[in-house]
Amino acid sequence: MTKTAFLRSWATQLTIGAFLLMAGTGLMLFFEFEDGLTAVVHQWLSWFFLIGAGAHIFVNFKPFKSRLKSRWGVAFTTIFAAVFVLSCFSWGMITGPQLERPIEEALVFAPLSALAAVTKSQPDVIIAKLAGQGIVATPEQSIYDVVKKTGIDENILLGIIFLPGGETLAAK
């Protein structure tokens, strides 16, 4: 089997399947149905779409080139290339993705007593939630300090503190 025949045997099917997955998860994200692993699946499994599309383009390169030379090919390629370049700038807007990392870092490095205030509870409630999972901590410690001491992932600790039912999160 030649390289082209091998690619042809799976490239289109992979592209179609991955496109359907990206379209479905993309719609869910657009309408903010972000429960579960929707965002993670959309982000990480998009690599399969890129691999499939790249292989599909490779085995169909002549028709691909001729389509790009058409008036519509030039127009859409130019438009989407411009949108891609423009999307790399925030244009002074404050966006959710820009805020996520600094907010998470602030939570991770804040004392647990400050997290108690954010969750509208008392420090002893947070300490008790952690203790219920066998995690010993003091109100002066941060999530970062607890991670260093226990090796438990910061997202699990944040989940214990912030998510409803988070007290059972570490056990899952």
Side-chain angles (χ1 to χ4, degrees), residues 94-110 115 154 158:
I94 297 172
T95 64
Q98 286 175 314
L99 291 171
E100 287 173 6
R101 195 66 180 138
I103 290 170
E104 185 178 349
E105 285 180 5
L107 293 173
V108 167
F109 290 102
L115 295 185
E154 69 186 41
L158 288 168

Side-chain angles (χ1 to χ4, degrees), residues 2 4 22 25 45 58 80 82 84 88 100-101 112-113 124-125 145 154 172:
T2 67
T4 302
M22 294 302 100
T25 55
L45 296 186
F58 180 80
F80 286 112
F84 172 73
C88 293
E100 287 173 6
R101 195 66 180 138
L112 295 175
S113 59
D124 58 327
V125 172
D145 297 331
E154 69 186 41
K172 291 183 180 177

Side-chain angles (χ1 to χ4, degrees), residues 40-172:
V40 173
V41 166
H42 186 80
Q43 183 177 21
W44 285 98
L45 296 186
S46 65
W47 285 104
F48 288 106
F49 181 69
L50 294 173
I51 291 165
H56 182 74
I57 289 168
F58 180 80
V59 298
N60 296 293
F61 194 68
K62 278 186 181 180
F64 177 75
K65 264 183 21 180
S66 71
R67 294 286 183 193
L68 286 180
K69 290 178 184 175
S70 74
R71 181 177 43 191
W72 286 112
V74 170
F76 285 130
T77 303
T78 303
I79 289 166
F80 286 112
V83 169
F84 172 73
V85 169
L86 294 173
S87 74
C88 293
F89 302 97
S90 67
W91 306 98
M93 293 177 59
I94 297 172
T95 64
Q98 286 175 314
L99 291 171
E100 287 173 6
R101 195 66 180 138
I103 290 170
E104 185 178 349
E105 285 180 5
L107 293 173
V108 167
F109 290 102
L112 295 175
S113 59
L115 295 185
V118 171
T119 61
K120 297 182 177 147
S121 63
Q122 296 299 316
D124 58 327
V125 172
I126 287 181
I127 300 305
K129 280 183 170 184
L130 293 170
Q133 297 297 313
I135 302 165
V136 178
T138 66
E140 298 80 30
Q141 289 180 306
S142 66
I143 294 288
Y144 179 78
D145 297 331
V146 176
V147 166
K148 282 193 338 189
K149 186 173 80 173
T150 64
I152 297 172
D153 184 81
E154 69 186 41
N155 289 327
I156 290 175
L157 296 172
L158 288 168
I160 292 169
I161 293 169
F162 283 97
L163 293 178
E167 55 274 353
T168 60
L169 188 64
K172 291 183 180 177

